[in-house]
Amino acid sequence: MEENLFICLLKSLRIPYTKSFANRLFDETPHKYSLFGLSRMLGTYGIPSEGLRLSDKGRLVDISPPFIAQISDDLGVVTQISEQSVSYVVQNKLARSPYDCFWEIPMRTAKSLCWVIPYIIFVYACMGLV
């Protein structure tokens, strides 16, 4: 059985969980494929989170992974960042992009192809701020 995005994030954060509860929470969350829904699920585990929109791509290296990012038309867990590359898991597949290209992953919309800045759930616990 493939892991859902929420379990992938919990594993990356090294948060203790049971698969049955985490899967049930994910399955029963109405907005599970949105940053809002994931933030609510993290709150169930007592993990505060914040949505950020970064306009300066140079700031991405200042955020300690793991965190959730919008990657193309999907959400993924960013697992590692360096000034050269960004590693992430999307749809249960590990991927790596050159740092500058991560910011230029295309997102298809109903009207056209456009470039997006990833939206990020920044998990305070990873930064040692709580």
Side-chain angles (χ1 to χ4, degrees), residues 23-38 40-41:
N23 277 324
R24 186 168 36 113
L25 180 61
F26 184 79
D27 291 340
E28 293 175 358
T29 298
H31 305 289
K32 61 184 149 228
Y33 297 109
S34 70
L35 297 179
F36 171 75
L38 287 164
R40 300 269 320 241
M41 287 184 271

Side-chain angles (χ1 to χ4, degrees), residues 1-4 7 11 19-20 22-24 26-27 92:
M1 181 177 175
E2 290 187 350
E3 291 179 347
N4 62 53
I7 287 181
K11 268 185 163 179
K19 277 191 175 187
S20 61
N23 277 324
R24 186 168 36 113
F26 184 79
D27 291 340
N92 286 306

Side-chain angles (χ1 to χ4, degrees), residues 6 10 13 15 39 41-49 123-126:
F6 183 58
L10 290 175
L13 290 169
I15 301 294
S39 180
M41 287 184 271
L42 287 170
T44 300
Y45 279 82
I47 303 168
S49 60
V123 181
Y124 287 113
C126 295

Side-chain angles (χ1 to χ4, degrees), residues 16-121:
Y17 69 94
T18 62
K19 277 191 175 187
S20 61
F21 179 77
N23 277 324
R24 186 168 36 113
L25 180 61
F26 184 79
D27 291 340
E28 293 175 358
T29 298
H31 305 289
K32 61 184 149 228
Y33 297 109
S34 70
L35 297 179
F36 171 75
L38 287 164
S39 180
R40 300 269 320 241
M41 287 184 271
L42 287 170
T44 300
Y45 279 82
I47 303 168
S49 60
E50 180 180 347
L52 302 175
R53 184 175 187 155
L54 302 178
S55 57
D56 177 6
K57 67 181 178 180
R59 292 194 50 219
L60 188 63
V61 294
D62 296 334
I63 301 174
S64 297
F67 55 84
I68 299 288
Q70 182 175 344
I71 302 166
S72 186
D73 288 333
D74 214 338
L75 295 174
V77 177
V78 174
T79 57
Q80 191 173 32
I81 300 173
S82 72
E83 291 182 4
Q84 290 76 38
S85 65
V86 178
S87 298
Y88 53 94
V89 178
V90 67
Q91 296 181 357
N92 286 306
K93 294 180 183 142
L94 184 60
R96 180 178 299 210
S97 295
Y99 184 87
D100 288 336
C101 294
F102 181 75
W103 288 84
E104 298 173 354
I105 295 173
M107 177 176 165
R108 295 200 180 275
T109 63
K111 294 182 179 178
S112 65
L113 185 68
C114 63
W115 303 101
V116 295
I117 296 172
Y119 287 86
I120 297 167
I121 286 185

